[in-house]
Structure formats: structure tokens, C-alpha cells
């Protein structure tokens, strides 16, 4: 369903180069902001108004996320583009529900990781950033986390690209590592923009570290290192359960899945009905009547 | 005068930025109160206030508990139980941050609850990046009720087939799978159909578009947008040049 258009001109090398430049600039903005915040550790977090650091974190991460969207969004095939709203609704509905309960998890990335596994790292990054921006329509506090969400989507796509979703036992490991990176990058946003976390359970963990005398950034980073890897391991596992249960016809619609044999796929040996790699967890679902 | 959606967005965004940059609690309280007042005037308070409360109350409670009880940098101890020390500096920091964030949240929510989504989508051009972003935004907002209705239907169907959610993680994961797999499968399938329909109607073609919906954009509002954005940029620049002013 995503064949290249026969009637439209293909992307010229110049526009492709501009897009690549925007992607690199976006990644540099995010990385530069993070490095600046961690190296300088602005001393004014807990003394003084503390808003210079908040503004740097806010604008640097947001500009990076917007640049990534501008670079990636026009290149996505329409078949992927129409999936993004679906992923956003899954993120928002699950995230809003879990965020308000007393569990130190977020589970707000299921849709993002799903797109990343089916359509690749670029689509995953764009979905993560768009998810934060559209969600901020109902909850403006998630807006500053756009860069972290884009990073999660990109890393999930890379994990799928290099075959970590072919084996069920590798999936939580990939999620764990993604969570460590994502948590460390998002911690400065929580520390500098919010001066804490927005959930009650995560706030309790930060309080525990603060009571031991940690600085705010250190306490929030430690909390992120507790919550995020577990959270992403759960999210990756749930997404793996979902994509293993999708019928072959549906998952092979996606060129990314076919080209990189994301799910130990069938592109190499057509005509074979059994999937060799994931026969265990991919038992036919019994619950498909809707 | 009706506000163009982009003017309203620029006003909300620059208000949030300027409040953050000023970091001055009387201004934060004033901005928050103004946003609530405007929403009462516009008649959106009934929907906006619960949404704002759902965001601000957990955040505020979390910040006040965190900084009120544990603020190692604080010097003026008001009370202490074991490791917890209530300090004046901690309470002040928590309250200031809560006021500042509430003002930004209320300003942004005032925009999202008063803007007409069809106008916003029409105001963003219908092709290129902005067109695709407008599609994602509009599509998400219309999919939310449709998808929650479908979740309901799938749960009813599975319960009719004997789905019982028992205690324990294994059962919960199994129940999640029984409901999520049909949901995601049908959504992915629908998306494929929608992609073909959109493609057949020239969704990604680069040519000019005709819109039946005209959103008036008077020149005065264009100037106003520019002024608002410049003011926000100036506030940010001023704060970065004088990081501790007004402390």
C-alpha cells in the first residue's frame, strides 16, 4: 500500500540534502542542550528564579524536536502518516491513565514504539515528537519532553532495524537500554523546567533521594534510572506481543519490516508459512473477534 | 473581533514563555487568574477547569511535598521529623514553581479549549509539512472518541466470549493481549484503507489546494502576532543575559 507514486516527481537530491541537514541540526540542538545543561549544572536551580536553565532546556529541546519533525514528516509515506494519529491516541489514552495512578511508570510510548518497529527510526522519532506536541493540547506539561520522546522512538526503531525484535527475550533488554538513555536525557527537563516530577509516585522516589542530600538534578536522574528502564522494558514487551500477533499480511505491508526482516520475516523465503524465529510467542491469537 | 487561531496560539505561547522567563510569582498568579477569567467569559470554564485541575493538582502536590519536606539547601527549618525537614526556602521554591507552571498550563489550555479545531486546521496551509501536521492533529482529535468506542465494543465482545480479568500479572497481561490485539489489528487495517483513500485524492501531491473554509486574517493580527513573538524572544534573551535578575 505504499508504493512510490507513479505520477509525482521524486525527491530531488537538493531537497533530500536539506532534509538531512535539518535532521542533523535537530539532533545537534538536542545533544548540545543536554551537554550544556549537564556540564554547566546551572547553580540557580534551587536558589534564585531558576528560569534561565528552564528556558534553555525548553527552547533547545523543543527546537530540536521541531527540526526533526520538519525534516522527517514530508518524507514519510502516506501509509505511515495515517498510522501516526492512531499511535498518538494509544500513547495519550494509556499515558493519561497510568500517569494519574500511583505507579511509578508512564507507559506513554506504546504507540511510538509500535510505529518505530513497523516503520523505522525516522518515523518513530517523528511520532514521539508529534505525540508530545499534540498531547500538550490537553496537558501542556508534556511539551518539554518532546525531544526525549523522539529519542525513544528513534532508539526503538534502531533496535528493530538491527534485529532485536526477532527474539522475544532480547526485546526487554532493548527496552531497558533505551529507557536508560531516554531517562538520562529527560531528567534535566524535569529538573530545570518543572523542579520536580509531575507524578505522585515518581515524586515520592525523588523525595527519597533528596532526603539523602542529593542535588535536584542528581535525585531526578536517579529516579529516572529506576523508573524509565523498567517502564520501557514493559512497553517494548507489550509492543512485541502486539506485533507478533499481527497477521503476516498486515506486518508485511510495511516496507521497513520487509527490508530489514524486523520480525525474522519472510521476505527472503517466500512461500514458507511458519516463521522460524518467533514461533514460540507468535502463536495464533485466539482473540481477534471484534 | 474574532481571533485568528494562529494569533491565539501566539498569544498563549508567548504568555507562557514570558511568565516562565519573568519567574515572578505575582505575575504568575495574575496570568493564571486572567486565564481563568477569560475562560469564564468565553464560556469554556466548565470544560477547561477540570482539565487544568487534572494537570496542576498532581504536579503541585508533588512539588510541594518534594520541596516542602526535603530541601537540603534550605536554612530556615520550621519543623522536622526524622529525615524530613520543612524549610521556608523549600516551601517558597515549591509554591513559586507551582504558580509559574500553573500560569503556563492555564494559558495554553485556554487556547486549546477555545480554539476551533477546523479553523486551526484551515489556517495551517493544506500542503507540505504544515498540511501533514494539520492532518495528524485533526485526525488524532477525531480518533479519540472513535477509538474509545471501539475499545468498549471489543471488551464487550471478549466478555461475551468469556473474558474474565482475574488477579495477578499473568492474567492481566493475557487480558491486555486479548483486547489490544484486535484493537491494534483493526486500527492498522483501517489506516491502510484511509491511506489509499487519501492517496487517491492527491493528499501528497504538491499542487495548490482549494479550501471551502476561509479563516479571515486581518493585517492587524499579523502585526500583533509578530509583536507577541518578538516580545517572547526579548523576554527569553533578557533572562539569558541577566540570569539572576529579580531573584
Amino acid at each position: 500500500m505504499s508504493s512510490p507514486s507513479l505520477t509525482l516527481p521524486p525527491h530531488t537530491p537538493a531537497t533530500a540534502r536539506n532534509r538531512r541537514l535539518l535532521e542533523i541540526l535537530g539532533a545537534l540542538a538536542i545533544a548540545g542542550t543536554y551537554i550544556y545543561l549537564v556540564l554547566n549544572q546551572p547553580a540557580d536551580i534551587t536558589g534564585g528564579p531558576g528560569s534561565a536553565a528552564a528556558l534553555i532546556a525548553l527552547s533547545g529541546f523543543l527546537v530540536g524536536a521541531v527540526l526533526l519533525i520538519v525534516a522527517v514528516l514530508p518524507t514519510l509515506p502516506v501509509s505511515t502518516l495515517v498510522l501516526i494519529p492512531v499511535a498518538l491516541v494509544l500513547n495519550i489514552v494509556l499515558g493519561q491513565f497510568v500517569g494519574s495512578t500511583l505507579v511509578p511508570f508512564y507507559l506513554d510510548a506504546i504507540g511510538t514504539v509500535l510505529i518505530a518497529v513497523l516503520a523505522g527510526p525516522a518515523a518513530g522519532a517523528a511520532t514521539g515528537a508529534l505525540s508530545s506536541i499534540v498531547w500538550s493540547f490537553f496537558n501542556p506539561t508534556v511539551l518539554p519532553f518532546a525531544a526525549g520522546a523522539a529519542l525513544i522512538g528513534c532508539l526503538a526503531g534502531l533496535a528493530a532495524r538491527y534485529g532485536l525484535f526477532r527474539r522475544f527475550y532480547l526485546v526487554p533488554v532493548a527496552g531497558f537500554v533505551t529507557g536508560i538513555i531516554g531517562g538520562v536525557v529527560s531528567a534535566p527537563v524535569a529538573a530545570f523546567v518543572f523542579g520536580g516530577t509531575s507524578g505522585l509516585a515518581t515524586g515520592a522516589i525523588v523525595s527519597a533521594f533528596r532526603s539523602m542530600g542529593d542535588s535536584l538534578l542528581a535525585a531526578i536522574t536517579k529516579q529516572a534510572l529506576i523508573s524509565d528502564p523498567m517502564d520501557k522494558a514493559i512497553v517494548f514487551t507489550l509492543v512485541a506481543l502486539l506485533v507478533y500477533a499481527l497477521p503476516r499480511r498486515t506486518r508485511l505491508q510495511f516496507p521497513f519490516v520487509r527490508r530489514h526482516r524486523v520480525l525474522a520475516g519472510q521476505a527472503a523465503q517466500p512461500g514458507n508459512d511458519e516463521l522460524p524465529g518467533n514461533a514460540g510467542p507468535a502463536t495464533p491469537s485466539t482473540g481477534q473477534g471484534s | 473581533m474574532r481571533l485568528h487561531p494562529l494569533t491565539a496560539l501566539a498569544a498563549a505561547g508567548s504568555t507562557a514563555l514570558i511568565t516562565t522567563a519573568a519567574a515572578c510569582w505575582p505575575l504568575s498568579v495574575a496570568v493564571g487568574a486572567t486565564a481563568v477569567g477569560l475562560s469564564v467569559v468565553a464560556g469554556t470554564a466548565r470544560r477547561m477547569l477540570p482539565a487544568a485541575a487534572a494537570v496542576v493538582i498532581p504536579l503541585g502536590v508533588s512539588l510541594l511535598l518534594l520541596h516542602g519536606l526535603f530541601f537540603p539547601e534550605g536554612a530556615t527549618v520550621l519543623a522536622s521529623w526524622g529525615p524530613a525537614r520543612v524549610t521556608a526556602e523549600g516551601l517558597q521554591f515549591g509554591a513559586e514553581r507551582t504558580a509559574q507552571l500553573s500560569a503556563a498550563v492555564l494559558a495554553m489550555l485556554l487556547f486549546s479549549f477555545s480554539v476551533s479545531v477546523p479553523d486551526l486546521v484551515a489556517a495551517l496551509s493544506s500542503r507540505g509539512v504544515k498540511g501533514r501536521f494539520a492532518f495528524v492533529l485533526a485526525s488524532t482529535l477525531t480518533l479519540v472518541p472513535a477509538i474509545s468506542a471501539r475499545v468498549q465494543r471489543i471488551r464487550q465482545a471478549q466478555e461475551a466470549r468469556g473474558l474474565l480479568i482475574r488477579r495477578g500479572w499473568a492474567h492481566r497481561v493475557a487480558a491486555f493481549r486479548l483486547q489490544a490485539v484486535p484493537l491494534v489489528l483493526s486500527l492498522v487495517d483501517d489506516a491502510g484503507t484511509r491511506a489509499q483513500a487519501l492517496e487517491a485524492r492527491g493528499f501528497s501531491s504538491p499542487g495548490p489546494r482549494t479550501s471551502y473554509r476561509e479563516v479571515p486574517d486581518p493585517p492587524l493580527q499579523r502585526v500583533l502576532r509578530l509583536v507577541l513573538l518578538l516580545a517572547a524572544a526579548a523576554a527569553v534573551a533578557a533572562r539569558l543575559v541577566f540570569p539572576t535578575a529579580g531573584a
Side-chain angles (χ1 to χ4, degrees):
Chain A
M1 66 184 181
S2 61
S3 57
S5 170
L6 298 176
T7 50
L8 302 176
H11 293 299
T12 59
T15 55
R17 202 172 50 237
N18 285 345
R19 300 245 156 85
R20 176 63 56 177
L21 193 68
L22 284 177
E23 274 174 39
I24 293 171
L25 279 178
L28 280 180
I30 294 171
T33 311
Y34 178 74
I35 292 170
Y36 173 82
L37 286 174
V38 170
L39 286 188
N40 285 16
Q41 290 250 358
D44 58 80
I45 321 175
T46 46
S51 62
L55 289 171
I56 292 172
L58 199 60
S59 46
F61 281 148
L62 213 52
V63 165
V66 170
L67 284 176
L68 283 180
I69 292 178
V70 172
V72 172
L73 204 54
T75 63
L76 293 180
V78 178
S79 58
T80 307
L81 188 73
V82 295
L83 270 182
I84 290 182
V86 170
L88 263 50
V89 176
L90 290 178
N91 282 349
I92 293 170
V93 169
L94 285 168
Q96 198 76 283
F97 172 70
V98 175
S100 56
T101 55
L102 289 171
V103 188
F105 297 127
Y106 326 103
L107 298 191
D108 55 357
I110 289 189
T112 307
V113 175
L114 183 70
I115 298 267
V117 171
L118 292 178
T127 309
L130 279 171
S131 173
S132 294
I133 291 178
V134 174
W135 190 357
S136 70
F137 230 70
F138 312 106
N139 180 353
T141 55
V142 299
L143 187 60
F145 294 101
L151 187 67
I152 299 287
C154 180
L155 291 173
L158 288 177
R161 160 92 174 67
Y162 293 105
L164 291 176
F165 274 80
R166 282 178 212 156
R167 298 275 180 277
F168 190 62
Y169 55 83
L170 287 178
V171 171
V173 181
F176 201 84
V177 175
T178 304
I180 292 177
I181 302 172
V184 167
V185 169
S186 297
V189 176
F192 296 124
V193 179
F194 295 110
T197 58
S198 47
L200 289 176
T202 44
I205 298 179
V206 177
S207 306
F209 285 116
R210 286 284 280 168
S211 72
M212 298 172 208
D214 278 338
S215 76
L216 191 57
L217 180 61
I220 290 180
T221 306
K222 285 179 187 168
Q223 176 269 323
L225 285 178
I226 290 178
S227 295
D228 282 46
M230 280 303 292
D231 175 62
K232 295 300 173 293
I234 295 173
V235 166
F236 274 47
T237 311
L238 292 179
V239 169
L241 281 178
L242 286 176
V243 291
Y244 287 158
L246 289 180
R248 236 185 94 214
R249 184 175 67 87
T250 308
R251 33 176 143 135
L252 292 189
Q253 281 173 350
F254 296 94
F256 176 75
V257 176
R258 283 198 307 264
R259 194 177 326 126
H260 299 293
R261 300 180 58 246
V262 167
L263 305 161
Q266 288 289 290
Q269 321 111 300
N272 185 355
D273 275 334
E274 268 307 307
L275 300 180
N278 52 17
T283 46
S285 169
T286 51
Q288 296 192 355
S290 65
Chain B
M1 182 181 72
R2 262 196 83 188
L3 274 185
H4 188 267
L6 292 182
T7 314
L9 178 61
S14 54
T15 307
L17 260 183
I18 292 172
T19 321
T20 310
C24 146
W25 69 264
L27 178 69
S28 306
V29 172
V31 166
T34 313
V36 171
L38 283 176
S39 84
V40 170
V41 172
T44 53
R46 195 178 285 253
R47 290 181 301 134
M48 185 189 107
L49 290 181
V55 175
V56 168
I57 290 178
L59 181 69
V61 171
S62 174
L63 284 181
L64 281 177
L65 282 183
L66 167 61
H67 297 297
L69 293 180
F70 306 100
F71 199 75
E73 293 85 354
T76 328
V77 181
L78 302 177
S80 66
W81 308 277
R85 291 158 64 241
V86 181
T87 58
E89 288 84 356
L91 284 177
Q92 191 194 353
F93 180 73
E96 274 178 7
R97 272 305 161 98
T98 308
Q100 193 180 317
L101 290 167
S102 311
V105 165
L106 285 167
M108 297 298 286
L109 282 180
L110 175 65
F111 162 72
S112 46
F113 277 88
S114 58
V115 74
S116 132
V117 175
D119 277 354
L120 178 62
V121 170
L124 298 165
S125 132
S126 56
R127 61 200 160 102
V129 183
K130 282 199 273 177
R132 288 182 162 223
F133 176 73
F135 168 76
V136 168
L137 178 68
S139 185
T140 307
L141 295 180
T142 47
L143 270 178
V144 171
I147 289 184
S148 27
R150 187 171 300 186
V151 169
Q152 204 71 32
R153 268 213 320 279
I154 290 175
R155 173 171 308 156
Q156 286 169 355
Q158 295 292 30
E159 279 171 353
R161 301 170 71 188
L163 171 74
L164 259 182
I165 302 177
R166 283 187 228 113
R167 297 166 72 89
W169 277 100
H171 283 293
R172 281 179 189 275
V173 170
F176 168 82
R177 185 159 171 270
L178 280 181
Q179 295 173 54
V181 169
L183 177 70
V184 171
L185 181 58
S186 63
L187 290 176
V188 170
D189 218 45
D190 276 6
T193 318
R194 216 158 35 238
Q196 286 172 350
L198 283 170
E199 202 55 278
R201 284 158 183 77
F203 180 75
S204 47
S205 79
R209 309 294 163 87
T210 316
S211 172
Y212 288 120
R213 198 179 184 97
E214 284 297 326
V215 185
D217 187 13
L220 186 66
Q221 295 203 16
R222 290 182 204 197
V223 177
L224 183 62
R225 279 208 287 276
L226 193 65
V227 170
L228 284 168
L229 294 181
L230 286 178
V236 171
R239 173 54 72 190
L240 293 185
V241 174
F242 307 104
T244 52

